[in-house]
Amino acid sequence: MAGSIAGVEAALKLYRESSPAEQEGNLSTFRQALMMAVSATNRHIIQAETNALRASMDASPAPVAPVAAAAAAPPRETAPPMMGFPTTYEVAKPDKEESNVPAAPVKAETEKKIDVSSASPSDLEGSLGLAVLDVDADKVTSLLEAGAEMDEEMTNAAFWAVVNAVDRAEALDKPLSGDIPVMLHHIFDADLRHLLTREQQRTNVTCMRPETLGANRVAMNSIFDDAAHKDIPLEEGRRCEDGHCCDECSRNIFPTFASQAEVDFGTFPELMSLTFNELEKVAAGTILQFIRLIERVRRTIAHEYGLPLKTILPLQSYSRKYVAGTTQKGGGGGEGDFVILHTDEATHTGYHYSSVLYLSTQGEDFEGGNFIFNDPADDDGEKDKVDDDYELTGMALEEAIRTTGRKLTPFHPSRGACVIFSSGWENMHEVEKITSGVRYAVPAFFTTSPVPEAAYDQMVQGKPKSNEDIADDWLHLLLAHREEQPHESLGRVKELLMKWHYMCAPLSEH
């Protein structure tokens, strides 16, 4: 904490000594240092409260268990398994009379009130900043509705305030407040608004799908011959099996989809290997940041393709590690140094939109490893041409087969960049071999196929009906840090993905 305070003092000194022209830029540095100091102070307070609570509990006599009452109580009913997997949890909140956990501090009644109808923009922004740090969701909502806006710095301050509140609740063994999801919803809204002001490179493409007739033989060949995938006969249109996709397709590059701080391994070390199935030892801050980034992708897809947000759900997302000189083993998250030419929708019929967020930079962290869109060549004459420089033996022949008659569009990965595209055959792609280093990325796949209502009915806790219900879902599906058996984590993740929209959007948008 002393280091954070020193950082504030240094930033303030820099601001005071700078010229008027430089002060605006240095003010941002000062505000960032101040937010870091607030975060460090909150962590210090959490630790002090936790130590005091443990000391008081150690000094208290052990409570007598109500054995007779427990023996007489009827067994708790368990819902039947959902689609072959058990449901994940039943919320059991402690009785207030029996809890040893101190109540949350009550806000002082003398707190200054702001008349939002007549307040100036500076008053609104100042009040919003205080409400954000206090995780006062009601006040934040009122101020935003009155015209205040969270800039990127304030949005990040709100995120860390939420992280601190989640850590504090876990340290004190308390349920999450209903303020937590409301604050997260405001953060997600602000994130998309900020993203839409940044650079976007859009390429519109014609949607493609396998030909209805005559494709079976070639499609079967592509199963056994990776090189044959590019030769599948295609026709215009989207397959979008059981979904509600947009009729238009595209590929989009966001060079600064996430800031360097948002994907920093020093702050979020578990981002290097995160999967939803194994969260027991992952810090709450990393889990929340991962969800924040995937939700940003989901909202970007809805905006780009004009789809209702509630119709888009993630089917899979994980951190992927590519290591030079290795061969992939197992599923999509396994290590390897390249990815063969493929179409995401051919890999899984439910994949309707795809994204890759990059966590490392070509030329700094690894060499090679371009992401490549692989299209038919524009000129028909090129389709039968083989480069005379190729010696048609060994790897040269393999490369000739891969590239002949094709137009390759490479993207050079950089930390924080993201590629978002429709998942059909119009966007066949591959990853070139990594020649050195380690390449980290987060692929994510989204569906527009609706979840059957019966699936929610089979959950112990179905669709949330209040912000407290949403907070319970955040806790038990993501932030509980409990040990699980494989079948338990599988059921939890399944429920998480089906409930994603209900957890990441306000009740008014359910």
Side-chain angles (χ1 to χ4, degrees):
M1 189 168 68
S4 299
I5 295 174
V8 173
E9 293 174 342
L12 181 59
K13 183 175 183 292
L14 177 65
Y15 174 78
R16 287 174 171 172
E17 295 176 352
S18 59
S19 66
E22 297 173 330
Q23 282 186 341
E24 183 175 353
N26 291 334
L27 180 61
S28 175
T29 303
F30 172 67
R31 291 177 64 184
Q32 185 174 5
L34 185 62
M35 294 304 178
M36 292 178 64
V38 170
S39 179
T41 302
N42 286 341
R43 288 195 298 270
H44 179 77
I45 293 172
I46 291 170
Q47 188 60 52
E49 290 179 340
T50 304
N51 292 340
L53 176 62
R54 288 172 177 168
S56 65
M57 293 179 68
D58 291 342
S60 302
V64 179
V67 179
R76 180 176 291 173
E77 294 184 3
T78 303
M82 175 185 60
M83 300 174 68
F85 303 108
T87 50
T88 59
Y89 70 90
E90 182 170 4
V91 179
K93 298 180 180 178
D95 294 332
K96 292 182 180 179
E97 294 79 11
E98 297 179 3
S99 174
N100 289 322
V101 180
V106 179
K107 296 182 178 64
E109 291 297 331
T110 57
E111 184 179 4
K112 183 181 178 181
K113 304 295 183 181
I114 298 293
D115 182 2
V116 296
S117 61
S118 60
S120 67
S122 60
D123 286 339
L124 289 177
E125 298 299 333
S127 299
L128 181 60
L130 294 175
V132 158
L133 295 178
D134 200 28
V135 195
D136 188 339
D138 289 340
K139 180 175 286 187
V140 169
T141 300
S142 296
L143 291 166
L144 292 175
E145 290 175 349
E149 286 190 352
M150 294 197 298
D151 60 15
E152 293 194 30
E153 291 180 13
M154 190 177 295
T155 304
N156 288 328
F159 172 78
W160 285 109
V162 167
V163 172
N164 290 335
V166 170
D167 286 342
R168 182 176 186 274
E170 181 176 19
L172 300 177
D173 196 24
K174 297 174 61 177
L176 292 184
S177 162
D179 284 344
I180 297 298
V182 176
M183 290 293 296
L184 287 170
H185 301 157
H186 290 318
I187 291 167
F188 299 154
D189 287 342
D191 280 347
L192 178 63
R193 181 167 50 81
H194 300 149
L195 177 66
L196 296 179
T197 67
R198 303 175 196 159
E199 180 183 0
Q200 175 185 359
Q201 303 168 13
R202 178 192 296 112
T203 302
N204 294 322
V205 294
T206 302
C207 301
M208 302 299 292
R209 63 190 179 196
E211 285 186 358
T212 305
L213 299 175
N216 291 338
R217 178 180 58 80
V218 179
M220 182 58 69
N221 286 344
S222 70
I223 295 176
F224 300 103
D225 182 1
D226 297 335
H229 185 76
K230 62 184 175 62
D231 300 321
I232 297 174
L234 302 176
E235 63 183 12
E236 293 186 10
R238 286 225 65 177
R239 174 176 283 183
C240 192
E241 188 168 321
D242 297 326
H244 304 282
C245 300
C246 175
D247 291 334
E248 298 178 355
C249 297
S250 67
R251 54 188 65 159
N252 303 270
I253 295 172
F254 293 86
T256 53
F257 184 85
S259 69
Q260 298 299 298
E262 289 180 315
V263 291
D264 180 66
F265 289 157
T267 306
F268 308 107
E270 303 94 341
L271 276 184
M272 290 187 286
S273 58
L274 192 146
T275 71
F276 287 134
N277 294 81
E278 299 177 359
L279 296 178
E280 180 186 358
K281 298 180 180 179
V282 180
T286 302
I287 296 172
L288 290 169
Q289 182 67 0
F290 191 84
I291 296 293
R292 181 184 180 187
L293 293 170
I294 300 305
E295 177 63 9
R296 191 179 305 174
V297 174
R298 188 176 80 104
R299 291 173 180 239
T300 304
I301 291 171
H303 180 271
E304 172 68 17
Y305 297 100
L307 298 171
L309 183 61
K310 65 181 180 182
T311 66
I312 305 169
L313 294 175
L315 269 188
Q316 190 175 33
S317 183
Y318 51 87
S319 297
R320 172 79 189 267
K321 180 181 180 182
Y322 303 79
V323 182
T326 63
T327 302
Q328 180 178 335
K329 297 179 181 179
E335 294 182 5
D337 59 7
F338 73 99
V339 177
I340 61 172
L341 178 65
H342 65 285
T343 296
D344 289 338
E345 197 169 353
T347 304
H348 191 305
T349 57
Y351 290 172
H352 298 156
Y353 294 95
S354 306
S355 69
V356 185
L357 171 65
Y358 295 98
L359 305 180
S360 48
T361 299
Q362 186 185 64
E364 295 180 8
D365 307 303
F366 64 92
E367 299 292 343
N370 282 326
F371 177 96
I372 293 183
F373 285 112
N374 188 320
D375 303 303
D378 296 330
D379 185 353
D380 289 339
E382 291 292 318
K383 294 184 179 180
D384 298 321
K385 180 180 176 182
V386 176
D387 194 319
D388 293 336
D389 293 337
Y390 280 121
E391 295 180 10
L392 299 184
T393 58
M395 291 300 294
L397 175 59
E398 182 178 329
E399 184 69 6
I401 293 173
R402 185 178 77 89
T403 60
T404 299
R406 307 298 293 180
K407 177 184 177 182
L408 306 184
T409 305
F411 172 69
H412 308 289
S414 60
R415 188 179 300 108
C418 188
V419 181
I420 299 175
F421 51 96
S422 48
S423 303
W425 285 257
E426 68 281 349
N427 281 320
M428 292 185 185
H429 57 280
E430 58 193 313
V431 176
E432 284 186 329
K433 188 171 184 177
I434 300 169
T435 57
S436 65
V438 180
R439 177 185 188 269
Y440 292 98
V442 177
F445 309 95
F446 298 81
T447 188
T448 60
S449 300
V451 177
E453 287 297 317
Y456 297 109
D457 295 337
Q458 293 182 43
M459 298 176 185
V460 175
Q461 300 296 327
K463 294 180 182 179
K465 297 180 176 61
S466 66
N467 289 325
E468 286 70 27
D469 291 343
I470 301 176
D472 286 337
D473 280 336
W474 276 93
L475 175 61
H476 293 281
L477 297 179
L478 283 168
L479 300 167
H481 290 123
R482 62 177 179 272
E483 185 178 354
E484 295 176 309
Q485 296 299 316
H487 71 279
E488 293 174 324
S489 67
L490 192 60
R492 174 181 56 77
V493 173
K494 196 176 188 73
E495 189 168 338
L496 164 66
L497 299 179
M498 288 192 290
K499 281 186 168 182
W500 188 284
H501 178 74
Y502 296 106
M503 293 170 59
C504 293
L507 289 165
S508 60
E509 297 179 17
H510 288 188

